[in-house]
């Protein structure tokens, strides 16, 4: 497995020093899909100057760029996704995470089957751009306190199978799995579609090693799924420069 951290660009050197394989940046903060090329090129030059790369990006769509409901701007969506994927490719990135609860939460009284169809339509369009640029978009299930649709790995798997495109895969996030009391066997069931992982100590959403939480079952499920991909810490840190070292040591201890 490869280990990274969801962090801002200025933390790349510290992550490299500690021994991380990559950093996970934000789509909206690093790829800035709705800002001009000159502004992005400054970020690009900085990102490519480090020994580790931004192999993944989270925080895909802003909340006002809806994919469900009656106010979908298809032209803006397509332009946004194409720019994000093209710029991700230019940073040697491989993964874009589609969580983005604000873009997909279903309004009260609206039809959930229709919303699922709209999400599938969005992901089919996004796959066109992703596959052109060598990017995989992973569906991130989000727990009920954050989102009211696609809340479990099983839900994400069903959507990925529905879209059935190589550019659309599934993410497993321990925090959301734990919040939903989802069985770890669902991660194993998603093995063929599992392309990215997020991890945090799931009670306080803090960094691995912050307390005595046992990650054995989670890593056992990843191993049973044959997962050898990226695992990103998406969590809070008390002292980033120190805590990322503890987190990496803790995660690697479960591979021994």
């Amino acid at each position: 497995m490869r280990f990274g951290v969801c962090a801002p660009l200025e933390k790349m050197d510290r992550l490299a020093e500690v021994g991380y394989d990559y950093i996970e940046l934000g789509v909206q903060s690093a790829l800035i899909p709705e800002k001009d090329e000159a502004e992005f090129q400054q970020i690009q030059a900085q990102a490519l100057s480090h020994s580790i790369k931004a192999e993944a990006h989270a925080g895909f769509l802003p909340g006002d760029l809806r994919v469900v409901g009656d106010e979908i701007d298809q032209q803006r969506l397509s332009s946004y996704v194409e720019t994000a994927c093209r710029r991700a490719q230019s940073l040697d990135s491989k993964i874009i995470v589609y969580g983005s609860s604000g873009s997909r939460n279903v309004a009260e009284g609206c039809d959930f089957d229709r919303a699922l169809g709209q999400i599938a339509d969005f992901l089919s369009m996004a796959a066109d751009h992703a596959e052109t640029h060598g990017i995989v978009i992973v569906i991130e299930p989000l727990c009920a306190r954050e989102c009211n649709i696609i809340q479990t790995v099983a839900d994400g798997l069903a959507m990925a199978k529905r879209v059935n495109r190589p550019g659309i895969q599934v993410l497993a996030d321990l925090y959301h799995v734990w919040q939903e009391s989802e069985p770890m066997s669902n991660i194993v069931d998603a093995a063929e579609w599992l392309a990215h992982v997020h991890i945090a100590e799931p009670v306080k959403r803090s960094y691995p090693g912050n307390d005595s939480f046992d990650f054995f079952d989670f890593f056992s499920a990843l191993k049973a799924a044959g997962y050898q991909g990226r695992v990103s810490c998406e969590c809070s840190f008390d002292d980033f420069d120190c805590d990322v070292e503890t987190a990496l040591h803790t995660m690697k201890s479960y591979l021994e």
Side-chain angles (χ1 to χ4, degrees), residues 198-218:
H198 281 169
I199 190 171
E201 180 281 312
V203 180
K204 299 178 181 178
R205 212 171 189 174
S206 188
Y207 60 94
N210 180 51
D211 60 17
S212 60
F213 184 86
D214 189 350
F215 294 88
F216 177 81
D217 289 346
F218 185 60

Side-chain angles (χ1 to χ4, degrees), residues 142-161:
L142 301 172
C143 65
R145 67 171 58 187
E146 295 184 15
C147 190
N148 62 7
I149 193 167
I150 309 181
Q151 296 171 325
T152 65
V153 174
D155 293 341
L157 176 61
M159 177 56 68
K161 287 182 174 180

Side-chain angles (χ1 to χ4, degrees), residues 100-112:
S100 307
S101 61
S103 81
R104 77 186 202 215
N105 269 324
V106 183
E108 186 175 353
C110 290
D111 188 292
F112 270 73

Side-chain angles (χ1 to χ4, degrees), residues 71-253:
E71 298 181 1
I72 301 174
D73 187 336
Q74 297 289 1
Q75 184 174 354
R76 182 185 169 204
L77 266 175
S78 182
S79 176
Y80 184 101
V81 173
E82 191 282 328
T83 302
C85 291
R86 173 170 44 82
R87 290 179 176 178
Q89 181 185 39
S90 77
L91 298 185
D92 295 329
S93 307
K94 304 301 180 186
I95 297 288
I96 289 178
V97 176
Y98 176 51
S100 307
S101 61
S103 81
R104 77 186 202 215
N105 269 324
V106 183
E108 186 175 353
C110 290
D111 188 292
F112 270 73
D113 287 338
R114 178 188 181 220
L116 286 169
Q118 290 177 314
I119 292 172
D121 289 342
F122 161 70
L123 290 172
S124 294
M125 176 275 290
D128 290 338
H129 297 307
E131 290 165 13
T132 296
H133 295 288
I135 301 296
V136 171
I137 294 172
V138 291
I139 302 165
E140 179 176 29
L142 301 172
C143 65
R145 67 171 58 187
E146 295 184 15
C147 190
N148 62 7
I149 193 167
I150 309 181
Q151 296 171 325
T152 65
V153 174
D155 293 341
L157 176 61
M159 177 56 68
K161 287 182 174 180
R162 177 173 180 169
V163 177
N164 195 27
R165 294 284 296 273
I168 304 298
Q169 304 288 316
V170 178
L171 177 150
D173 183 317
L174 176 59
Y175 172 76
H176 298 294
V177 168
W178 193 86
Q179 289 291 330
E180 290 299 301
S181 301
E182 188 175 9
M184 293 294 173
S185 58
N186 284 4
I187 295 174
V188 183
D189 292 342
E192 293 183 14
W193 297 82
L194 186 64
H196 197 53
V197 167
H198 281 169
I199 190 171
E201 180 281 312
V203 180
K204 299 178 181 178
R205 212 171 189 174
S206 188
Y207 60 94
N210 180 51
D211 60 17
S212 60
F213 184 86
D214 189 350
F215 294 88
F216 177 81
D217 289 346
F218 185 60
F219 278 98
S220 294
L222 294 179
K223 291 176 184 177
Y227 184 73
Q228 295 295 325
R230 299 171 185 85
V231 179
S232 296
C233 292
E234 187 188 33
C235 54
S236 62
F237 297 96
D238 299 319
D239 179 342
F240 184 93
D241 288 353
C242 177
D243 297 342
V244 290
E245 193 166 353
T246 301
L248 184 60
H249 174 78
T250 301
M251 292 186 292
K252 285 188 171 181
S253 72

